Amino acid sequence: MSHSATPLPGIDLALSIAAPHSPPDALCIVVKDCLDIAGTVTGCGSAAFAGAAPAATHAAAVQRLLDAGFHITGKTRMHELAYGMTGLNAVSGTPVNPRWPDRIPGGSSSGSAVAVAGGEADAAIGTDTGGSVRQPAICCGVIGLKPSFGRIDRTGAHPARSSLDCIGPFARDIPTVERVMQALDPAFVPITLDRAPRLARLRTSPDSDVGDSLILPMMEQGYDLPYVDLPLLEDAFRAGMVLIGYETAAAFGHLLDTGAPLGADIRARLTAARGLSPEEVAWAEGLRRAFTAEVDAALDGFDAFVTPALPSVPPLLSEATDPAKVLPLTRYLRPFNLSGHPAIVLPTRTRDGLPAGLQIVARHGADAQLCAIARWLCDTIPSFQTKDR
């Protein structure tokens, strides 16, 4: 583990793993440290696992990347136990946001976003249980995709059991996102739209600078964006918090009993999560069913709907311990972990040059169409063109 005082990159452990048939120009990809890579310890960003045995086999996703010819060049830093949104980590070190070094890199897949934004890799793999791919992607100014729940095999991911978590890619352009998805799921076949997508916008209340940076460029290009409403959105956010707490406590709560070294924030959150009642969990599961149906109905007649990725610009590092600044960041992200719909985020900037982004949500299973919509927007709206971002 690194304790360097110099700016930390996204990669915590450098590797060089490729299949024998991997081409010389293979894309370099890095993997979040909660996915097994044979011969390395799956540390989950925590000192609690520093003495664990190395993984015996690759996670299913890692093996598929190798089989597809990718070159794995490292394991990335992350928020401890993937249970946080800031990306701050006192054990392995907090990776520095390459474009906004005074702001959080986002979590929990902080190092994966930083590695792509900083040019350490062509693409990266993260995990998204409550926005943990999409939020750091926007914090660092890259593209992040949460696939449909259940689409990507989670064998070899930690925690092993989750009703929310999805393995997903980071990249600087949509074709690379699609290339990674083809590797992770051979059933994913990229498509090209032959007409402008039919989009709606979810009625939300982001900060005005964020909202203006998203909607105004779309309207300038002639997009008709009728409103849709999700009355259960706020309840879905809370239900997602309940279930991630319950499932994380089930996976890692024993570390509280063994005296394992844990960060103070993780210890407090695990302790609180252990106090969740069966009634709260039952409410969250009922809300999941109702909200999923609500999202399906909102998508009727549209190819997708758009939301702000974040309701405000990411907080400064000096504000990272302020719950009022951090907790709302996944307000528009976490609900779609609960419903399982695929969602992708495209980065942009506010008029002040600060990070913001658009989220696109599509029907369950329509991951290829979702990427095609994102590519169409990148091609037609200058502020979403990511190649130079």
Side-chain angles (χ1 to χ4, degrees):
M1 294 292 185
S2 170
H3 298 275
S4 170
T6 58
L8 287 169
I11 296 173
D12 188 44
L13 175 65
L15 299 169
S16 182
I17 306 173
H21 64 274
S22 182
D25 61 346
L27 290 185
C28 294
I29 194 165
V30 291
V31 176
K32 188 177 181 180
D33 189 29
C34 59
L35 295 173
D36 288 343
I37 295 181
T40 72
V41 173
T42 306
C44 295
S46 178
F49 298 114
T57 58
H58 295 315
V62 171
Q63 187 62 57
R64 285 180 175 175
L65 291 168
L66 292 172
D67 291 345
F70 282 82
H71 182 193
I72 296 176
T73 56
K75 298 188 83 170
T76 59
R77 304 177 195 276
M78 57 181 283
H79 202 111
E80 187 174 6
L81 302 186
Y83 200 24
M85 294 173 282
T86 63
L88 274 62
N89 190 316
V91 176
S92 61
T94 300
V96 177
N97 188 327
R99 295 175 178 135
W100 298 277
D102 59 340
R103 295 187 180 270
I104 65 167
S108 63
S109 307
S110 51
S112 294
V114 165
V116 172
E120 297 176 81
D122 299 308
I125 296 297
T127 60
D128 190 316
T129 317
S132 289
V133 165
R134 291 161 291 158
Q135 188 244 25
I138 295 306
C139 288
C140 296
V142 297
I143 298 169
L145 169 65
K146 181 197 81 68
S148 297
F149 179 77
R151 176 147 200 162
I152 308 301
D153 189 343
R154 292 189 66 259
T155 302
H158 301 267
R161 294 183 180 180
S162 173
S163 68
L164 303 166
D165 188 53
C166 303
I167 294 170
F170 296 83
R172 292 184 291 273
D173 58 71
I174 296 297
T176 303
V177 169
E178 293 174 321
R179 188 167 168 182
V180 176
M181 280 296 292
Q182 286 181 282
L184 294 174
D185 176 13
F188 179 95
V189 179
I191 63 174
T192 300
L193 301 183
D194 57 8
R195 57 164 175 80
R198 296 167 297 180
L199 301 176
R201 57 171 151 163
L202 183 62
R203 198 183 306 273
T204 56
S205 54
D207 290 355
S208 60
D209 56 341
V210 169
D212 289 350
S213 72
L214 307 175
I215 297 302
L216 294 181
M218 297 185 74
M219 297 183 75
E220 287 170 1
Q221 297 300 318
Y223 282 91
D224 179 27
L225 297 169
Y227 281 110
V228 294
D229 292 287
L230 294 176
L232 292 176
L233 186 71
E234 292 298 324
D235 282 343
F237 174 81
R238 290 190 288 272
M241 292 286 286
V242 168
L243 291 176
I244 191 175
Y246 176 75
E247 293 178 353
T248 303
F252 297 123
H254 67 281
L255 297 175
L256 296 172
D257 303 323
T258 63
L262 294 169
D265 65 323
I266 299 301
R267 184 171 294 278
R269 293 190 73 193
L270 277 178
T271 300
R274 272 186 153 185
L276 290 166
S277 69
E279 293 77 15
E280 288 173 290
V281 175
W283 169 81
E285 288 291 2
L287 202 288
R288 187 207 299 267
R289 291 188 291 272
F291 181 67
T292 300
E294 190 173 88
V295 177
D296 288 340
L299 286 165
D300 188 31
F302 299 103
D303 296 317
F305 60 74
V306 299
T307 82
L310 309 182
S312 60
V313 299
L316 297 166
L317 288 167
S318 59
E319 301 169 320
T321 58
D322 181 355
K325 294 284 188 179
V326 174
L327 287 178
L329 287 176
T330 56
R331 181 181 180 187
Y332 306 133
L333 304 176
R334 190 181 303 273
F336 303 106
N337 292 92
L338 190 74
S339 69
H341 291 80
I344 194 169
V345 292
L346 303 178
T348 188
R349 301 189 185 206
T350 68
R351 66 169 62 92
D352 295 327
L354 297 176
L358 185 79
Q359 176 177 231
I360 314 167
V361 180
R363 293 179 183 83
H364 197 283
D367 302 59
Q369 185 185 36
L370 175 67
C371 289
I373 292 168
R375 185 167 3 104
W376 185 285
L377 293 182
C378 289
D379 289 343
T380 58
I381 301 175
S383 59
F384 294 138
Q385 292 171 3
T386 56
K387 63 182 185 303
D388 299 319
R389 190 161 302 287

